[in-house]
Amino acid sequence: ETGVTQTPRHLVMGMTNKKSLKCEQHLGHNAMYWYKQSAKKPLELMFVYSLEERVENNSVPSRFSPECPNSSHLFLHLHTLQPEDSALYLCASSQDLAKNIQYFGAGTRLSVL
Amino acid sequence: AQSVTQLGSHVSVSEGALVLLRCNYSSSVPPYLFWYVQYPNQGLQLLLKYTSAATLVKGINGFEAEFKKSETSFHLTKPSAHMSDAAEYFCAVSESGGSNYKLTFGKGTLLTVNP
């Protein structure tokens, strides 16, 4: 049973839709991460939050908008996406930024039509 | 910036055979090194982590990895493959210093175990 839960597990959206991905961690961690996993490519770090403050934005297009209302929840708001944004989006958490063992959720499989 | 190379995007072994998954990194400073496993439709799960305490690191499910600084390698091994080991395996390296939360992942190696 993972301590990091992501919803929904699957999402299909059109290029004009607005949707949100949700991540919740039950581990008492202070740092949370969004990654993009595309076929045949390494995981790409998108955003990092520590104590609800964004500490990393890895040149991610503005059509992806993260939100961290508290240390247990992380959202990724999506709007006007492109087909090349179709991927598995993984959320992870760690105790803090110094403790770099990251615990991953099962991901949201996103398809942009 | 760090980089990680995993040799072989797909490795196939017979059940009971040795598993060897290769990982090389580029760094002038010994970093933290990780192996993660991803089972179908699941997130990544930590197998083991190198922290400079010992060059041979034992992980879960019978896996271990050996850090070789001279070869900048961190290969993952398991003496005897089990059907349940079929999954994708990712090697990762952290940045040094205050950015060690940033992990650079390899492209992954898909392990197939044949009966």
Side-chain angles (χ1 to χ4, degrees):
Chain A
E1 176 66 35
T2 179
V4 180
T5 304
Q6 291 188 243
T7 54
R9 291 295 309 276
H10 301 273
L11 179 62
V12 179
M13 59 187 291
M15 289 190 285
T16 58
N17 292 158
K18 290 184 180 180
K19 296 286 184 184
S20 296
L21 310 185
K22 179 183 176 182
C23 176
E24 182 174 4
Q25 57 95 1
H26 312 274
L27 301 169
H29 289 169
N30 290 322
M32 297 187 76
Y33 310 76
W34 278 118
Y35 286 89
K36 177 182 180 182
Q37 186 178 27
S38 304
K40 308 301 182 187
K41 293 178 67 176
L43 268 74
E44 302 171 52
L45 179 63
M46 300 175 71
F47 301 103
V48 181
Y49 277 82
S50 175
L51 296 170
E52 299 130 57
E53 286 196 23
R54 191 188 312 178
V55 298
E56 190 80 26
N57 177 345
N58 211 20
S59 302
V60 179
S62 59
R63 58 186 183 269
F64 295 91
S65 176
E67 178 190 4
C68 188
N70 55 63
S71 59
S72 298
H73 293 85
L74 185 65
F75 295 89
L76 188 62
H77 304 300
L78 316 171
H79 63 98
T80 59
L81 293 192
Q82 303 299 309
E84 60 264 29
D85 297 322
S86 299
L88 181 68
Y89 289 85
L90 292 166
C91 174
S93 70
S94 64
Q95 187 174 339
D96 52 47
L97 293 183
K99 302 289 193 297
N100 56 10
I101 294 179
Q102 295 177 20
Y103 297 80
F104 285 80
T108 295
R109 174 71 61 186
L110 174 67
S111 297
V112 182
L113 304 179
Chain B
Q2 300 284 355
S3 68
V4 175
T5 302
Q6 291 185 241
L7 293 174
S9 59
H10 187 192
V11 170
S12 182
V13 301
S14 298
E15 191 172 19
L18 171 71
V19 176
L20 171 60
L21 305 182
R22 299 178 187 273
C23 173
N24 288 87
Y25 66 94
S26 65
S27 173
S28 59
V29 177
Y32 295 105
L33 290 154
F34 306 81
W35 275 101
Y36 279 88
V37 60
Q38 186 177 31
Y39 298 102
N41 301 314
Q42 295 188 30
L44 278 69
Q45 178 183 359
L46 181 69
L47 274 179
L48 49 83
K49 173 184 177 182
Y50 167 75
T51 60
S52 77
T55 57
L56 184 63
V57 183
K58 294 188 182 298
I60 62 172
N61 302 338
F63 284 93
E64 62 182 35
E66 186 173 8
F67 173 71
K68 291 187 176 180
K69 182 180 178 181
S70 61
E71 299 176 7
T72 60
S73 69
F74 190 56
H75 301 331
L76 181 72
T77 60
K78 181 174 181 177
S80 176
H82 192 273
M83 296 295 291
S84 61
D85 294 327
E88 191 155 23
Y89 292 79
F90 295 90
C91 181
V93 59
S94 68
E95 298 290 329
S96 56
S99 296
N100 65 13
Y101 60 87
K102 288 188 185 180
L103 302 185
T104 299
F105 286 84
K107 292 185 177 181
T109 298
L110 181 65
L111 176 66
T112 302
V113 182
N114 304 308

